[in-house]
Every structure is written in structure tokens, then in C-alpha cells.
């Protein structure tokens, strides 16, 4: 049985479905989660379907998760975890207390959790996968217009407006089919492209202070002391500035170090060519070949990451010459 059909058969067995996503969400994980909730509620009105996760006001234009989900709901529930590579990153620890777990994801399957797993690390996004899941089961499912809007938003977000290499012919075909539903793709594109005045000022700081090494590796450290004067509101985050170094012609791969509440640093790694997920694994992280995340406990580790990134880019450039 194809995995897309097996997942639907598993869903049919349960009266309660609870959908989880990863912490610190992006448009793909929110789009996939809320679209799946909408599809299941429309297709199976007798089932109880929840979406769980912390509220982020900056994503209110997409919709909101259910904030009041009782613990007892998990007792006989099917839990579906979308767009989440590893167990520690799942938002809301109750996900593991359900009756069974389905994992749907497009990151490398290095943490193979779940009773059923559908992982396609070559897919552009989990949202693209969910459209393909719907298409494989179209006779049994209904796609509301808002679910189509959410999946389109997820694809736009994770492909960088269809710019990243994971964008395929299927990605574009799916986006085209979704645009046939009753929503404004223009409004979605604008919502994902807009930034606040505070983030605009932070963007200027990025361009003025980005360190670009001769190899083409680049880096920037955003400490609390640096970020606080910009006055980022609740709906803002530093994630909006992560793609910016890639717009510079001489930059090949880059690292953005963002200070956390415990004064360690989150590392956002991006690349135009050389694979950087191995570097991320060296520092407690992982992800895609060209987009990964990791952590640094102190300045010494930050310096080590910069050194490793510099070597990685220099070696890749040497191999290509």
C-alpha cells in the first residue's frame, strides 16, 4: 500500500486527530499544519481535529492553532507531526502521549520517529507533500479554499519565492493547481514579503556589518545588545534577515548567530552551493544541504563555526576551479 493511502487509512481509524509542528515555526510548518486540519475537518466532520502549538502573532494572517486542547484528548488520539525532523523540536511535549504517531516531513530522516513515516527530503516543502497526499486520495478528501491558501503559503515560504534548488516542476505544478482555488495568491505573496520598519532597520544593519571572508564565507553575530535597540515587536523575528547575505554576489555561504535567552547562540546556516548540514551536525544541529541550523554555547564555538565555514567554502571553491 502506498504510504499516502496508508496515512489516510490510519486517519480513518481515529475519532480524534491532533496535529503538531516544530518550535519557532515558519510558513511551511504552519501552512502544512493548519491546511491539514482544514482538510480533515471538512472531509471528516464527525472527527475532532486539533492543531497544537505556541501562538505567534506574526503568523495570525495564516490562522491560529487551537490553544485549549485538554490532556485527556490524547488518550485515544492519532498524533500527526508535520515538518519536524527530530523529536526534541516538536512543539508541545504531549505529542508522544497519543495512541499512535504519523510523521510527515521533508527534512533528512535522521530521527526516524513515529509508527508511520512519510519523509521526502527532496521535496521543496511539507506543504507540497500534503497537496500530493490530497491528490492521491482526492476521492475521499475535500480541499477547502483556505487549505489551498495555506499550502500555497507554505510552498512560497520554503522555496524562497520559488528560488531555491528544491523547487521542481512538481512544485510549480502544485502551486498552479492551488492557485485555482478561491484565494488571492498576490495577498499571500505580499504578506510573506512584507517586513516591519524595525526589521527594515535591522536589515540595514546586516548589510553594513556582515563580515565577508575572501573565501566567500560570511557571518554576522546578533547579540541581545545589538538587537534590542531596533525594538522588534512580538510579531517580528530575526528570521526575516537570514536570506539577506545571499543577495550579495561574493557571498557563497553564511552563518547568522542569534543570542538566545540563556546567552547561548542559535546558528542559522545557508549556502548557495556547498553542503552545510555536516557543519551543522558538528554543532548539535542539522537540516537541509543548503539550509541548516545549529547552536553555539560561547564565543569560542562561534569562532570555530566561522573557521569551519571558511574552510568548507574555500575547499568547495578549490574543487570547482
Amino acid at each position: 500500500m502506498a504510504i499516502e493511502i496508508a496515512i489516510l487509512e490510519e486517519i480513518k481509524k481515529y475519532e480524534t486527530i491532533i496535529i503538531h509542528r516544530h518550535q519557532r515555526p515558519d510558513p511551511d510548518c504552519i501552512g502544512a499544519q493548519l491546511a491539514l486540519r482544514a482538510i480533515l475537518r471538512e472531509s471528516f466532520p464527525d472527527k475532532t481535529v486539533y492543531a497544537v502549538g505556541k501562538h505567534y502573532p506574526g503568523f495570525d494572517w495564516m490562522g491560529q492553532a487551537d490553544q485549549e486542547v485538554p490532556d485527556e484528548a490524547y488518550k485515544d488520539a492519532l498524533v500527526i507531526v508535520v515538518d519536524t525532523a527530530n523529536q526534541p523540536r516538536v512543539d508541545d511535549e504531549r505529542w508522544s502521549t497519543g495512541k499512535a504517531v504519523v510523521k510527515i516531513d521533508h527534512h533528512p530522516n535522521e530521527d526516524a520517529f513515529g509508527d508511520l513515516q512519510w519523509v521526502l527530503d527532496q521535496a521543496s516543502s511539507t506543504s507540497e507533500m500534503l497537496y500530493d497526499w490530497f491528490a492521491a486520495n482526492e476521492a475521499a478528501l475535500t480541499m477547502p479554499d483556505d487549505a489551498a491558501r495555506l499550502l500555497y503559503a507554505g510552498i512560497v515560504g520554503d522555496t524562497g519565492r520559488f528560488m531555491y534548488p528544491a523547487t521542481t516542476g512538481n512544485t510549480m505544478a502544485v502551486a498552479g493547481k492551488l492557485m485555482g482555488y478561491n484565494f488571492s495568491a498576490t495577498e499571500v505573496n505580499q504578506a510573506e514579503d512584507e517586513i516591519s520598519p524595525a526589521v527594515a532597520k535591522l536589515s540595514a544593519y546586516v548589510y553594513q556589518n556582515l563580515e565577508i571572508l575572501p573565501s566567500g564565507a560570511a557571518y554576522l553575530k546578533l547579540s541581545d545588545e545589538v538587537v534590542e535597540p531596533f525594538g522588534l515587536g512580538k510579531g517580528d523575528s530575526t528570521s526575516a534577515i537570514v536570506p539577506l547575505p545571499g543577495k550579495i554576489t561574493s557571498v557563497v555561504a553564511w552563518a547568522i548567530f542569534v543570542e538566545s535567552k540563556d546567552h547561548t547562540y542559535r546558528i542559522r546556516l545557508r549556502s548557495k552551493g556547498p553542503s552545510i548540514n555536516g557543519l551543522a551536525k558538528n554543532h548539535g544541529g542539522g537540516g537541509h544541504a543548503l539550509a541548516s541550523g545549529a547552536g553555539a554555547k560561547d564565543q569560542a564555538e562561534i569562532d570555530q563555526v566561522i573557521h569551519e565555514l571558511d574552510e568548507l567554502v574555500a575547499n568547495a571553491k578549490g574543487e570547482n576551479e
Side-chain angles (χ1 to χ4, degrees):
M1 182 186 299
I3 186 64
E4 297 94 329
I5 297 170
I7 289 172
L8 179 59
E9 292 306 309
E10 190 72 1
I11 287 168
K12 288 178 178 177
K13 297 176 187 175
Y14 292 84
E15 295 305 312
T16 301
I17 316 292
I18 306 176
I19 309 165
H20 284 248
R21 53 166 167 77
H22 64 69
Q23 301 166 359
R24 295 186 292 272
D26 55 32
D28 182 35
C29 89
I30 289 183
Q33 181 194 38
L34 299 187
L36 182 57
R37 180 182 66 181
I39 291 169
L40 294 182
R41 284 180 173 176
E42 188 76 15
S43 304
F44 303 103
D46 293 335
K47 294 185 185 294
T48 301
V49 185
Y50 296 114
V52 175
K54 183 179 176 183
H55 177 223
Y56 289 85
F59 287 115
D60 280 351
W61 66 273
M62 296 185 76
Q64 294 185 26
D66 301 288
Q67 297 305 305
E68 301 294 333
V69 181
D71 293 347
E72 56 267 25
Y74 285 83
K75 182 179 178 183
D76 294 309
L78 174 66
V79 173
I80 303 176
V81 181
V82 299
D83 198 45
T84 309
N86 52 60
Q87 297 175 66
R89 206 177 174 211
V90 183
D91 192 349
D92 195 318
E93 295 179 352
R94 295 179 297 171
W95 72 272
S96 61
T97 64
K99 192 84 169 177
V101 175
V102 173
K103 177 183 182 181
I104 302 174
D105 188 31
H106 74 122
H107 300 92
N109 197 23
E110 290 162 4
D111 185 356
F113 65 91
D115 302 285
L116 266 180
Q117 300 168 37
W118 183 30
V119 179
L120 296 176
D121 61 6
Q122 299 302 309
S124 74
S125 56
T126 301
S127 294
E128 179 183 340
M129 291 176 63
L130 279 176
Y131 179 85
D132 287 340
W133 171 78
F134 163 78
N137 296 286
E138 195 164 4
L141 297 171
T142 301
M143 173 83 73
D145 291 326
D146 197 53
R149 178 185 72 93
L150 289 162
L151 292 180
Y152 178 80
I155 292 170
V156 168
D158 250 27
T159 60
R161 312 338 179 235
F162 307 104
M163 223 170 48
Y164 300 153
T167 305
T168 64
N170 186 67
T171 309
M172 301 304 290
V174 167
K177 289 171 184 172
L178 290 168
M179 289 175 71
Y181 287 81
N182 186 25
F183 71 92
S184 171
T186 300
E187 288 180 6
V188 171
N189 296 338
Q190 288 175 339
E192 295 210 41
D193 198 48
E194 287 178 347
I195 57 174
S196 70
V199 173
K201 291 176 182 177
L202 179 60
S203 300
Y205 178 90
V206 171
Y207 283 129
Q208 289 172 345
N209 293 275
L210 185 72
E211 294 286 344
I212 305 175
L213 302 175
S215 65
Y219 65 90
L220 179 72
K221 178 180 172 182
L222 295 176
S223 65
D224 286 341
E225 185 179 4
V226 167
V227 173
E228 280 176 10
F230 291 98
L232 298 180
K234 285 185 177 180
D236 292 323
S237 86
T238 57
S239 62
I241 59 90
V242 175
L244 298 183
K247 298 179 183 293
I248 301 172
T249 55
S250 58
V251 172
V252 177
W254 61 100
I256 306 288
F257 302 91
V258 182
E259 188 171 4
S260 301
K261 290 181 180 179
D262 62 0
H263 304 298
T264 61
Y265 282 79
R266 291 180 59 207
I267 310 170
R268 292 185 169 108
L269 292 160
R270 299 293 185 270
S271 174
K272 295 178 183 176
S275 175
I276 39 83
N277 55 1
L279 191 161
K281 290 177 193 174
N282 293 343
H283 298 275
H288 298 291
L290 304 182
S292 292
K297 61 183 181 295
D298 52 27
Q299 184 62 46
E301 189 166 9
I302 289 174
D303 293 340
Q304 180 62 30
V305 170
I306 294 168
H307 173 71
E308 291 177 24
L309 184 65
D310 187 28
E311 282 197 332
L312 187 155
V313 176
N315 290 339
K317 186 176 289 186
E319 291 172 1
N320 292 329
E321 288 178 352

